[in-house]
Amino acid sequence: MTTTGQPAITGNVLFYSQPEPLSPEMHGKIGVKNMDGPFGFAKAGHAVPLTVGEFPSAVATGPIIFMGEEKLPILVMGLNAGDNMFLRPDGLFEAGVYVPAYIRRYPFIFANDDAAKQMVLCIDRAAEFVVDKGFDQPFFEADGQPSAYTKNCIEFCNNFEFERQKTQSFIQILNDLDLFESKTATFTPVDANNQPGEPQKIAEYFGVSEEKLNKLPVEKYIELRDNGALPQIHAHLISLLGWDRLVALALVKQFEAQNGRKP
């Protein structure tokens, strides 16, 4: 969990601006304060990493897509960069919205210590609720041992890492079967006379090809069923209907901003 040295934490990780390896030497006298709106930091998360085990829970919230060369699963929670449309001004999510584990584990995160060849538990020291005075939950007890709060967070992060590895295996299965294809999400605006305009591109991403899936040999299809990948694939495909929901929500929010009332 901790190290005596300070490994370099590199890379640009969503939400984390000042990650530090957690240790009693550096963080023995600080902790976390309770906040009424603890998810304010997630406003910038319009596209949040997701693990494959979360697909069924997230399917009704927004599109589940795959991004980049690594085909990282992403839950789309907004159409514009830096704007999570499901987060309220008070720092809470709208009722019924699935909150990804990636958000719920904040301010903790595991980082690679390449020199020691191990994972190091870090916290984002810049998190609003990480304070050195008036905290409700300390990171460490007076004897330097992790507090009950920290132990629970360590367990959560360990489970998250396990799910992340399962996700990598899931992606490898899809790659091996050549099931991915490039997809484009579009939106067709309508003018004041209810006439359609030119389609506008919303996003380009990777998704499972239904055509390739349906053409799989029977034995490969059965393998997907038996290893648990098939329900997750179906959840991903169903979630893509969520593009229409995001567009509708964006139009409602635009109307409210322009007119000061709901349509």
Side-chain angles (χ1 to χ4, degrees), residues 52 170 173-174 223-235:
V52 67
F170 171 75
I173 291 172
L174 301 189
E223 283 182 18
L224 289 178
R225 181 199 67 187
D226 292 345
N227 64 25
L230 192 59
Q232 314 295 18
I233 292 173
H234 288 157

Side-chain angles (χ1 to χ4, degrees), residues 18-36:
Q18 191 182 336
E20 298 177 350
L22 185 65
S23 70
E25 293 80 15
M26 289 185 62
H27 310 106
K29 297 182 179 180
I30 68 174
V32 172
K33 68 175 180 179
N34 298 331
M35 295 183 62
D36 293 333

Side-chain angles (χ1 to χ4, degrees), residues 37 40 43 84-94 253:
K43 183 62 178 176
N84 189 318
M85 293 196 298
F86 298 110
L87 190 66
R88 304 186 328 206
D90 62 1
L92 295 173
F93 280 95
E94 299 286 354
K253 289 183 177 294

